[in-house]
Structure formats: structure tokens, C-alpha cells
Amino acid sequence: MTAFMPITLRFCDNKTMLVGSVADAETALRHQWPDKTAPAYIEAARLVRLAVEGSCCPRTAFEAFSKTARQQGILVVKPRSRAHDWLDAAAGP
């Protein structure tokens, strides 16, 4: 199973969930979203299902899922930690 940098979602019922894999994303899609009829949501759900089945790249599915969560306003944005800044500086030229 491919793991990604976890994201936090806050659903319409105010419940939160940490999502770090396509399996987590599949579970999260069953929660209360603002608009499950939105084309981006439907496409993300399709890609996540295909990734779980093994016929879609997990990264593509997770990125579509994250983008949809951001568009629907349920992605909880946290400030970057000092560790991120340090890693960026260490990886830089």
C-alpha cells in the first residue's frame, strides 16, 4: 500500500479524519461531503476505486482526492512546521 503525506479532512458533520493512503481516501469518500454530485468528486471517487483495484496510479488518485477536498472546503490546512522548512533548506541548491 502506498502512503502519502497525510491530510486532515473536516466533514460536514464536523468529524475529522486523517487520510494518508488510497484505502483511507476510499473510506473518507463515504463520509459527509458538501457535494457528492460535483464532477471533481465523482472523478476522484472513480480514480480512488481504480487505485484500490490496482488499475490506476495511487498518486494520481490521491492527488485528485486531495484537490476535491480542497475545492469543497473540507481540507484542514495546517501551518508548515519548522521541520518542513529545514528539509526544504537541506534539499535546496
Side-chain angles (χ1 to χ4, degrees):
M1 174 174 63
T2 306
F4 300 98
M5 180 68 80
I7 60 173
T8 303
L9 304 182
R10 182 177 309 279
F11 300 103
C12 296
D13 58 4
N14 214 32
K15 291 181 181 173
T16 59
M17 180 178 178
L18 191 65
V19 180
S21 68
V22 290
D24 292 345
E26 183 179 43
T27 300
L29 288 166
R30 292 192 291 263
H31 286 273
Q32 291 183 4
W33 286 63
D35 185 3
K36 288 189 174 188
T37 65
Y41 174 92
I42 293 168
E43 178 64 3
R46 184 182 74 81
L47 292 173
V48 166
R49 183 176 20 80
L50 291 174
V52 168
E53 293 170 358
S55 60
C56 175
C57 171
R59 178 162 306 283
T60 300
F62 196 80
E63 287 174 0
F65 172 82
S66 300
K67 181 179 177 184
T68 300
R70 190 177 318 103
Q71 287 174 346
Q72 293 207 17
I74 65 169
L75 180 67
V76 176
V77 180
K78 296 182 179 179
R80 285 170 49 101
S81 70
R82 286 187 179 177
H84 281 104
D85 293 336
W86 182 84
L87 287 170
D88 285 347

